[in-house]
Amino acid sequence: MDGPPENDCCAVCHGSFNIPCQANCSHWFCGGCIMLVWHHGSALQPCKCPLCRREITLLVPSEASLRQRHENDAEEVLGKIERYNRYFAGRTLGLFQRLQDLPFFLRRLLRELMDPQRSLPLVIRARIYIAMAMSGVYVLSPVDIIPEGILGIVGLLDDLIIILIFFFHVAAIYRSVLHFRHGGSSS
């Protein structure tokens, strides 16, 4: 979604969204509210989502929020979100965090690839297509590290690992694009 759901409200203030932004756990918050949650805890580490308690490592403002940038309040909140993303979006993540973030990034990437109004840089698209082609060739080729014909279902393990690595690679590429767009460009 390019914005929060129609009949939803911010989970922090329970009011209408003001400068809405989406966390990497897919929940929406007012930009100012989630910044208050962060400042209420330790400013040296990322805050946890008030709904699901997952660590928030990336905040993505809605398109409408970005159009409000010229307003003083919005400019201040978006500046804080950019600073938050500079601190926490570029850091290394554990395997469990990457698995949790995978659906969020893949959904956003697919929507962006399908939307003719939005365009990813050509280099990013090329990296995604090359990774997709290489993964497809390996999975479909008869040459495997663990052959399916001999070991049956266990032989699919290497194919599943390659597919998972492909998804991690694509999600990492898209995460870096979002990080650059929403706060990492000045670091």
Side-chain angles (χ1 to χ4, degrees):
M1 290 179 282
D2 288 331
E6 288 291 319
N7 298 326
D8 203 2
C9 65
C10 174
V12 178
C13 68
H14 301 288
S16 299
F17 288 99
N18 184 19
I19 310 169
C21 60
Q22 188 176 29
N24 57 299
C25 60
S26 297
H27 292 122
W28 287 90
F29 304 99
C30 297
C33 291
I34 198 65
M35 289 294 96
L36 285 174
V37 169
W38 176 46
H39 289 297
H40 181 69
S42 172
L44 299 176
Q45 59 186 343
C47 64
K48 293 189 186 268
C49 174
L51 295 172
C52 66
R53 305 304 300 155
R54 279 184 46 202
E55 198 172 73
I56 296 175
T57 57
L58 182 68
L59 291 168
V60 181
S62 70
E63 295 296 321
S65 297
L66 294 174
R67 287 191 293 271
Q68 295 175 340
R69 182 174 283 281
H70 62 279
E71 299 173 14
N72 285 343
D73 293 340
E75 183 178 356
E76 181 183 340
V77 170
L78 291 172
K80 289 178 181 178
I81 290 170
E82 286 176 2
R83 188 173 59 236
Y84 183 91
N85 287 337
R86 272 195 309 274
Y87 292 159
F88 305 116
R91 65 192 204 123
T92 58
L93 303 171
L95 179 64
F96 189 67
Q97 182 72 34
R98 288 178 192 222
L99 282 171
Q100 286 181 320
D101 291 350
L102 197 59
F104 170 75
F105 289 120
L106 292 179
R107 268 194 316 268
R108 286 190 69 96
L109 176 64
L110 184 62
R111 191 173 57 246
E112 193 159 333
L113 286 173
M114 298 300 170
D115 187 357
Q117 299 297 326
R118 302 177 108 169
S119 63
L120 284 170
L122 182 61
V123 173
I124 302 299
R125 284 181 184 258
R127 284 180 66 186
I128 291 170
Y129 294 137
I130 288 170
M132 192 180 330
M134 290 174 61
S135 298
V137 166
Y138 178 80
V139 169
L140 297 175
S141 73
V143 178
D144 274 340
I145 297 171
I146 305 172
E148 286 88 0
I150 298 171
L151 297 174
I153 198 93
V154 176
L156 290 176
L157 184 63
D158 65 331
D159 293 339
L160 295 175
I161 290 171
I162 294 296
I163 291 170
L164 185 64
I165 289 170
F166 163 74
F167 284 133
F168 279 160
H169 180 71
V170 169
I173 291 170
Y174 191 61
R175 181 184 185 83
S176 67
V177 168
L178 287 176
H179 178 241
F180 181 77
R181 279 187 195 160
H182 302 291
S185 57
S186 60
S187 53

